[in-house]
Amino acid sequence: MTLPASVMIADVELDVERYELRRGGRQIRLERLPMELLILMASRSGQLVTRADIVRALWGGNAFRDTDNGINTAIRKIRVALGEDPENPRYLLTVKGKGYRLDAVQASCAMEPPIAPPSPVRVLVLPFENRTGDARQDNFCDALSDEISGNLGMLNPEQILVIARTTSMCYRRTTRSIAEIAHELGLDYVLEGSITRDTGRVRVRAQLVRCLDQAQVWGGAHEMTATDALDIQKTAGTVLADEVLPALAEQQRRMLARRLPIDPSAHDAYLRGRYYWTRRVHFDAGFAAHHALNAEDFIRARGYFETAIDRDPTYALGYVGLSNVYGATAAHGFYASSQGYPKARETALRALELDAGLPEAHQALAGVHYFYDWDWRKAEAEFIEALRLNPNHGETSRLYARLLLVLGREAEGRAQFERAEKADPLGFGGSRLFGLVQAGRYGEVINEFLAAGHGNRSPLVYQLLAIAFEVQGRYEEAVDATVDALTRCNEFARAESIRTVWEAGGYSAVLQWYLQDLLTRRQKGYTSPLLFAEIYARLGKPDEMFHWLDIALAERSPRLCELRTNAWFHPYRATKRFRGVERRVGY
């Protein structure tokens, strides 16, 4: 059963989306484990939930933990929260020798809800059209629309929902009308623009269109200098705010202005750097490192971010960009984490020093706490602060969702993935599939892909499919997905080599080929020890796997933060030795 966002259990409201329990509008404190169990039982309203079901859902089927006492304690705390008499419960019933049943669950709409605030206005910034005849401006056009989206999304997140960049990119050079796009995404406004060349001078044009009646509510054209590119962002943001939020506070306008640098050329460099960073970061880092996908996009991004800071040393977003690159390149396996994450921390802190209210800076620092410090408490605090400042920042929700899944808080993690989906409806698929892989739901990943058909999907989708197919023993399809992913990354030679090895010797030969490739690469330069631990896990060689895990722990390999949800280690999780490794990571 799909659980609604909010349900009633007698006179108690369970708000799944907010992860809260309330009676009469007042919050009832309930710890994480009892809350997860309550959500599970509410989703099975009136049906038996066995103790085995509970162990699988809350502990991943780990019978080595003291699950009996844990279940009994959680049941007792739930009954206290519901105001039940433990000796004569009315709602949470024990079925002796079987499990439990939760009665009296109904949709919360049965109660008179408080007057809800109006739904946020949905806005899409289309990729700016490059009409200059200069293909070098394509990247700037894309990045300009991306940055405008980010700026508008911060104006008033409770009342303006700006659809994220990934979805916007799906409509590049589209033949669909604004009415058709609005219908597909449920939009209220579309901002579209173009860059043209006229007698040697470049001009930027933009217009804000109200989808209801296709009326243009604002339009502007400016000479294409970096200063005027910034003016486009300021003007579009101000006009949109005046159109849909007449009471927008001056403080919010100042917040938008603060994101822009003193030197316009710094902003130009930042936009170009963000384009290359975004293009590469939406890969599975493990797949990218395993197949040695090149670092060209990261290198370009870093160069542009450094240029932005050189032009304006007070530009906080430039430091955020550098922090992102330093962390991502370590996570993608280009060098040891000790070479990247200290710099990622330093630049994130510098960004916060310049602008403590910058959500991207809080997210960057959260990434350092998550991937390098393995400090879940600090990472969560920074994620929460970033989302407080900009609830519509999909990237923060996606990464926070991964942390929540690692901590076993699957219901909260799903809520964050759903939150990201609202901000990025078309680009979210690959990220949500990543969440399903993390949660061990490999069959769902495959079924969802097969149901959607083989369209023009992102490399990430095929990278995740390769994992799901291999875990389920569907090796030919795993090879096909790997080849598709590599082909979409322009790694044609490697894709062909893997296909040839598969046809000659089957999947065991493919895994051995991967191992030999790693050994060869390690002789030439840095190769993450976690990659060796993963390949030995896939080969079924635990001694070698634990040897390399020890080296990865000593090095603080970034992806160890997701050791618990790493598909390749699932067969070993119940062993005492592996639980010792988990404890060293901090679980």
Side-chain angles (χ1 to χ4, degrees), residues 194-222:
S194 64
I195 298 178
T196 59
R197 189 186 301 275
D198 182 18
T199 61
R201 307 188 75 174
V202 177
R203 292 173 65 83
V204 176
R205 301 176 186 271
Q207 65 173 347
L208 184 67
V209 178
R210 187 169 54 221
C211 298
L212 177 65
D213 54 6
Q214 307 294 291
Q216 177 182 310
V217 299
W218 169 80
H222 301 268

Side-chain angles (χ1 to χ4, degrees), residues 19 30-37 58 407-409 412:
Y19 207 69
L30 192 61
E31 296 170 6
R32 181 189 66 80
L33 199 64
M35 179 68 84
E36 291 283 346
L37 178 52
L58 270 59
L407 296 178
R409 293 155 61 181
E412 291 176 88

Side-chain angles (χ1 to χ4, degrees), residues 373-402:
D373 297 335
W374 304 338
D375 189 326
W376 321 129
R377 182 184 60 80
K378 287 184 178 179
E380 183 169 20
E382 292 296 336
F383 282 133
I384 290 172
E385 179 63 10
L387 289 172
R388 185 189 69 80
L389 292 165
N390 185 1
N392 296 330
H393 195 240
E395 288 299 325
T396 299
S397 289
R398 293 171 185 177
L399 191 52
Y400 183 29
R402 289 167 61 173

Side-chain angles (χ1 to χ4, degrees), residues 479 496-506 510:
V479 169
E496 183 61 30
S497 295
I498 292 170
R499 175 75 70 190
T500 300
V501 173
W502 157 256
E503 292 174 350
V510 171

Side-chain angles (χ1 to χ4, degrees), residues 517-538:
D517 177 60
L518 287 174
L519 292 169
T520 301
R521 282 157 50 189
R522 189 169 179 82
Q523 292 176 352
K524 299 177 181 178
Y526 175 78
T527 306
S528 170
L530 185 57
L531 296 175
F532 286 93
E534 289 174 325
I535 193 61
Y536 279 119
R538 296 161 72 182

Side-chain angles (χ1 to χ4, degrees), residues 286-353:
F287 183 97
H290 182 76
H291 291 285
L293 301 185
N294 71 61
E296 180 181 353
D297 285 336
F298 285 138
I299 293 170
R300 289 188 179 186
R302 177 178 170 177
Y304 281 121
F305 292 142
E306 288 175 339
T307 298
I309 293 172
D310 286 343
R311 301 284 173 83
D312 185 351
T314 67
Y315 187 27
L317 278 174
Y319 291 98
V320 169
L322 275 183
S323 180
N324 292 156
V325 169
Y326 287 136
T329 45
H332 281 242
F334 294 109
Y335 41 71
S337 58
S338 60
Q339 293 180 254
Y341 278 100
K343 295 178 181 178
R345 187 196 315 278
E346 178 184 345
T347 44
L349 290 173
R350 176 58 177 153
L352 286 170
E353 180 183 337

